[in-house]
Amino acid sequence: MTTNTTVCTEALYRWYRAHARELPWRNTDDPYAIWISEVMLQQTQVSTVIPYFERWIARFPAVKALAAADQHEVLRLWEGLGYYSRARNLHRAAQQLVERGTGFPSEPAAFSRLSGVGPYTTAAVMSIAFGHRLAAVDGNVKRVISRLYALDLDITSSAGLKRIAELAEQLLSDADPALHNQSMMELGALICRPKDPQCETCPLREPCQARLLGTPTAYPLRAPKAPTPHHHDAVALIYRQTELLIAQRPQSGLLAGLWHFPRIRGKTRAPTIATISNQLAQNYGLRVAPLANTPPCPKVDHAYTHFRVSLYPRLLALVGAPTTCLREDTEVTRWVAADQLADYPMSVADRKVAQAAGLGDARRA
DNA sequence: AACGCGGGGGT
DNA sequence: ACCCCAGCGTT
């Protein structure tokens, strides 16, 4: 590992000025808009974020509008973007700011105290909006630095992260922080890509140790990942006349705060009708029977980061009245008409299920 | 220090 | 069928 190489970042900045993409959040100096963009961009690609960013800024143009919104609407606007705690944290942070009443924080210490704001977001927003000298280290920067110095450390390890943070600060040096951070990230996105890096046109090709070794894609080093489990769940589409039962998920954990159809977990195969009706009786105090004269619904496959799931939609009819309260202690439930489903924030998986069950286009209009 | 947390785009 | 992405909070 060679770390005493001098890296001339002037070439990088020239490249950035010539090749940077035009992005909606680059046409503003509004710290709020920059903050929203940085949170949306966490673990999410630029092309995915753009339409969400535009809609969000149109609906919530400033901190005050966001703080005044219902969580329901906030989640609906975020629906499909994933990592929903980001939306709930933004909402909470906006309310924290309104409570403080001191305007948008221009100091890193104050900004980083907000919900959902960690080291990366602090460095990015504070450098871009206010010029603070903080190195933003995201996935792109980790890759660029790993290659630049042919870093022989697992970047998912704390030692690897620490070393990269040191090198990132060193590279920032006395450059313009906003220009430097954005240049590094843009380089990672456009040139120093995970696969097929464009070393021939890279402004840092001269000092790059990984290129010198001839194995740029060998970096960054990363520990192998564990295999992801796959389970098979039944999804209960329970009719009471023309209405369907949906439930709101708890405020923490997977898909927190979103609505879903009752789910019956199957480890290795789809739960049987007997299991489904037992579980619904236990968990919701409901008696159900298979809906007559309905063709079987196709299963829905969905992948999450840490597991995969096959979902088996089951059309059911409520028999009699609910015998207990519908788990009002832990889970809010509601009977809704099919054409009202679109009003409730739901995950992509549940939208797919609704679609597969012929409930029409339940996606947000 | 390790893990949970979504979804989509690229190859 | 993988890999990766402008990370953060919890345990």
Side-chain angles (χ1 to χ4, degrees):
Chain A
M1 168 172 61
T2 311
T3 55
N4 57 354
T5 318
T6 37
V7 177
C8 174
T9 48
E10 287 305 324
L12 172 63
Y13 308 147
R14 279 196 298 276
W15 170 85
Y16 180 80
R17 291 194 181 95
H19 299 286
R21 292 166 292 183
E22 291 264 355
L23 300 172
W25 45 89
R26 288 186 177 154
N27 294 328
T28 179
D29 59 358
D30 177 8
Y32 166 76
I34 294 168
W35 173 40
I36 298 301
S37 75
E38 291 300 345
V39 173
M40 287 187 171
L41 286 161
Q42 290 168 11
Q43 302 292 285
T44 311
Q45 299 201 333
V46 165
S47 59
T48 304
V49 165
I50 290 173
Y52 283 89
F53 177 80
E54 304 277 24
R55 278 198 296 271
W56 185 282
I57 294 299
R59 174 60 188 87
F60 306 128
V63 170
K64 190 180 256 182
L66 175 57
D70 289 337
Q71 190 194 65
H72 187 92
E73 188 183 3
V74 170
L75 287 176
R76 274 236 301 157
L77 220 49
W78 201 272
E79 183 181 303
L81 200 52
Y83 285 142
Y84 296 92
S85 66
R86 294 184 292 175
R88 293 183 298 110
N89 282 332
L90 274 177
H91 191 209
R92 191 178 316 141
Q95 293 171 338
Q96 292 165 355
L97 283 178
V98 168
E99 272 179 40
R100 285 188 202 171
T102 52
F104 198 95
S106 58
E107 291 302 319
F111 182 65
S112 66
R113 254 178 257 125
L114 296 172
S115 298
V117 175
Y120 165 76
T121 307
T122 299
V125 175
M126 291 293 104
S127 68
I128 295 170
F130 299 106
H132 285 288
R133 189 164 302 286
L134 296 168
V137 179
D138 71 337
N140 289 309
V141 173
K142 288 176 191 167
R143 185 171 55 256
V144 168
I145 288 181
S146 297
R147 289 176 178 168
L148 197 51
Y149 299 102
L151 213 55
D152 290 319
L153 287 171
D154 175 3
I155 63 157
T156 66
S157 71
S158 52
L161 287 176
K162 190 177 167 213
R163 185 69 187 124
I164 286 174
E166 289 169 4
L167 292 167
E169 294 294 339
Q170 179 187 311
L171 271 175
L172 173 57
S173 179
D174 58 354
D176 171 3
L179 174 63
H180 176 84
N181 284 334
Q182 295 186 85
S183 298
M184 291 287 285
M185 294 191 280
E186 195 77 344
L187 187 75
L190 299 183
I191 301 286
C192 196
R193 307 186 296 214
K195 291 171 185 169
D196 193 24
Q198 308 296 105
C199 297
E200 318 77 45
T201 56
C202 180
L204 299 182
R205 63 186 172 279
E206 293 296 338
C208 182
Q209 297 302 303
R211 189 190 68 85
L212 203 64
L213 293 170
T215 55
T217 56
Y219 300 89
L221 272 58
R222 204 185 294 272
K225 276 189 279 196
T228 58
H230 184 164
H231 45 251
H232 300 261
D233 295 355
V235 180
L237 300 168
I238 308 165
Y239 280 92
R240 185 182 72 178
Q241 308 299 336
T242 59
E243 293 179 321
L244 284 152
L245 183 68
I246 59 173
Q248 188 176 26
R249 301 173 61 94
Q251 291 294 318
S252 65
L254 186 69
L255 306 172
L258 272 63
W259 293 77
H260 71 151
F261 301 109
R263 200 70 82 85
I264 296 90
R265 170 58 48 86
K267 285 192 185 341
T268 59
R269 63 174 64 87
T272 61
I273 284 293
T275 303
I276 293 169
S277 64
N278 282 339
Q279 289 291 311
L280 290 175
Q282 259 182 42
N283 296 336
Y284 296 90
L286 297 173
R287 289 185 55 211
V288 300
L291 202 60
N293 302 324
T294 51
C297 294
K299 79 175 163 83
V300 167
D301 291 309
H302 193 73
Y304 294 91
T305 305
H306 296 284
F307 66 95
R308 293 169 181 283
V309 62
S310 297
L311 298 171
Y312 302 85
R314 298 294 184 236
L315 294 173
L316 306 165
L318 181 66
V319 176
T323 57
T324 70
C325 65
L326 296 171
R327 277 181 69 171
E328 280 169 6
D329 50 335
T330 57
E331 205 173 26
V332 180
T333 59
R334 199 169 289 183
W335 295 96
V336 302
D339 62 7
Q340 291 181 314
L341 288 174
D343 295 338
Y344 292 83
M346 297 181 95
S347 73
V348 167
D350 284 277
R351 293 289 182 218
K352 285 186 196 168
V353 166
Q355 190 76 16
L359 296 175
D361 191 352
R363 285 171 298 181
R364 188 178 57 239

